Amino acid sequence: MSNEVIFFGGFTVFTIFVMLLDLGAFSSRKEHVVKFKEAAFWSAVWVSLAVAFYFFLRHYGYLVHDVSDASHLQHIKDRYYPAIDFNGDYTRDLQRFQNNMALEYITGYLVEYSLSVDNIFVFILIFNSFGIRPKHYKKALVWGILGSVVLRFIFIFLGAALIQKFDWILLVFGAFLVYTGLNILFKKEQEENIDTKNHPAVKITGRFFNVYERFVADRFFFRHKYDKNKLYVTPLFMVILVIAFTDVIFAVDSIPAIFSITKDPYIVFFSNVFAIMGLRSMFFFLVNIIDMFAYLKYGLGVLLTFIGIKMLAHTWLHDIGFTNVHSLLVIVGILAVSIVASLLFPPAKEEPLEKEPSHRKKTR
């Protein structure tokens, strides 16, 4: 077993452990409504872990690909980091390689974490459509997001294999991101609804499992006392599948966006995992204040458009000296402007319709 596989396995085990700790698997605390203070704490934990991993890559990034000598380093550089210039000094080249890897990781993490904000609106819609109680939000989100991580793993490494074989796929990704970004900027807002009975994830599950139409506390599976031989899945389990399915749909935008920053599938996966695992706590942290950031959606549209153009004009940008540091500064600038604009120039709220005077209401 290679050191690369061992490192990847250790990272996965660590992530699952922190996720279970977050879920409360090692404590006797019952399910509860997550308050702002708890959400802020876990948001800080996940962001701190993500930043700590950046510094880990700067000093120990060679462990990711098990780099042991100059020839192996050159091989990894040619495969995933062709833009790095080596000068023949192995020690300096290795440090330059690790610094670039760390920079691509933190840029990808920032992009993914920003695009994840869009998921919050959809998660709220899912919970409302299925009638999930607030005290079950946490469990549904953690397991739903864990499922999405597995699906993203497949998506990322499949995408990386295709990019390695067909360079023109990056141009397709770039055009798609430009289209998506412009669509966000110019599409009129519409009232969205989820048809819980005809959702693809629900219909597919219904073909292979018995679906119990009522909630059974916080359980995912259920055996009826009058029919012990039949196993049912509960609506809460269906919600987990819908969350995972929905997140993969969002990944169609976000994963190509990160491939514009790095071609290294491991860095794409690491940045995705930290961003997505932090999404659960961010949901509870932002759910009550998300309306304050009215222009963030437009900022994300500009962000996707910029990344798409960067993919389409990658060769030209490289020739004029546009580096990942410049990309990071542009991304931070776009997000900062959209957030500051939302706080300084909030859109006017619609005035509620006046209620009918009480003396004119008919009494029963």
Side-chain angles (χ1 to χ4, degrees):
M1 185 178 293
S2 68
N3 193 38
E4 194 174 38
V5 174
I6 294 174
F7 178 87
F8 188 79
F11 175 84
T12 303
V13 170
F14 172 76
T15 303
I16 293 175
F17 172 77
V18 178
M19 183 272 295
L20 292 175
L21 190 67
D22 186 3
L23 185 60
F26 306 110
S27 67
S28 58
R29 190 177 185 185
K30 296 182 179 180
E31 281 200 301
H32 60 287
V33 177
V34 177
K35 301 296 184 182
F36 184 84
K37 186 176 180 180
E38 180 183 348
F41 169 77
W42 277 105
S43 293
V45 167
W46 281 109
V47 170
S48 298
L49 287 173
V51 173
F53 194 71
Y54 163 80
F55 289 103
F56 174 85
L57 289 176
R58 282 183 64 94
H59 296 284
Y60 304 101
Y62 68 91
L63 293 173
V64 175
H65 293 291
D66 195 17
V67 175
S68 55
D69 52 47
S71 61
H72 190 190
L73 177 61
Q74 185 66 42
H75 171 71
I76 298 298
K77 180 259 185 190
D78 293 339
R79 187 173 186 181
Y80 300 127
Y81 302 89
I84 303 178
D85 294 323
F86 284 170
N87 59 16
D89 184 327
Y90 174 67
T91 302
R92 292 185 177 181
D93 288 345
L94 180 62
Q95 190 56 57
R96 186 177 289 110
F97 164 76
Q98 292 181 150
N99 291 345
N100 191 82
M101 177 188 288
L103 178 62
E104 291 186 353
Y105 156 76
I106 201 66
T107 305
Y109 167 75
L110 181 61
V111 168
E112 185 62 43
Y113 206 47
S114 303
L115 294 176
S116 295
V117 174
D118 235 10
N119 295 26
I120 293 177
F121 295 99
V122 180
F123 290 164
I124 294 172
L125 188 63
I126 291 172
F127 291 145
N128 290 338
S129 299
F130 280 87
I132 301 295
R133 294 181 179 180
K135 69 177 183 178
H136 299 322
Y137 284 3
K138 182 176 181 178
K139 186 172 184 178
L141 277 175
V142 170
W143 288 106
I145 289 172
L146 183 61
S148 73
V149 168
V150 175
L151 295 175
R152 282 184 180 232
F153 170 83
I154 299 171
F155 194 175
I156 289 169
F157 283 89
L158 178 61
L162 291 174
I163 290 172
Q164 286 292 315
K165 195 168 185 179
F166 308 106
D167 290 340
W168 53 265
I169 287 181
L170 286 175
L171 298 178
V172 176
F173 283 170
F176 176 73
L177 291 176
V178 171
Y179 167 78
T180 304
L182 294 176
N183 192 46
I184 291 174
L185 289 173
F186 298 107
K187 184 180 178 181
K188 294 182 179 180
E189 291 195 20
Q190 298 177 343
E191 191 73 22
E192 294 187 68
N193 291 298
I194 293 179
D195 187 347
T196 57
K197 292 186 177 181
N198 294 314
H199 190 281
V202 174
K203 293 177 73 174
I204 293 173
T205 306
R207 292 180 183 177
F208 299 98
F209 296 94
N210 301 305
V211 180
Y212 196 70
E213 296 187 357
R214 295 170 55 187
F215 287 91
V216 186
D218 62 343
R219 294 168 62 181
F220 298 144
F221 303 97
F222 172 69
R223 289 187 187 276
H224 201 283
K225 61 181 179 180
Y226 298 117
D227 189 2
K228 295 289 186 180
N229 296 321
K230 188 177 289 187
L231 181 67
Y232 293 88
V233 295
T234 68
L236 190 60
F237 180 80
M238 304 298 286
V239 168
I240 290 175
L241 296 181
V242 172
I243 288 174
F245 178 88
T246 303
D247 184 73
V248 171
I249 298 300
F250 276 98
V252 174
D253 294 340
S254 61
I255 290 179
I258 298 183
F259 272 119
S260 76
I261 297 166
T262 178
K263 307 299 182 295
D264 190 336
Y266 289 93
I267 297 304
V268 175
F269 181 71
F270 295 148
S271 59
N272 261 261
V273 167
F274 278 113
I276 294 303
M277 294 308 291
L279 178 59
R280 196 280 308 167
S281 52
M282 185 170 67
F283 171 86
F284 294 104
F285 183 65
L286 294 179
V287 67
N288 293 318
I289 60 174
I290 195 69
D291 291 336
M292 293 174 59
F293 306 105
Y295 300 122
L296 184 58
K297 184 190 78 169
Y298 300 103
L300 297 179
V302 174
L303 177 62
L304 286 175
T305 304
F306 161 72
I307 293 173
I309 293 174
K310 180 175 178 288
M311 294 180 82
L312 293 173
H314 172 73
T315 302
W316 178 75
L317 290 172
H318 180 263
D319 290 342
I320 65 172
F322 191 88
T323 65
N324 283 332
V325 174
H326 298 114
S327 292
L328 179 60
L329 293 175
V330 171
I331 291 168
V332 171
I334 291 172
L335 296 174
V337 168
S338 60
I339 292 173
V340 172
S342 299
L343 297 176
L344 295 181
F345 310 104
K349 295 183 179 180
E350 295 183 3
E351 291 293 333
L353 295 175
E354 292 186 9
K355 294 183 178 180
E356 186 181 3
S358 57
H359 67 273
R360 295 183 60 184
K361 293 181 181 179
K362 294 182 179 180
T363 55
R364 294 183 179 178

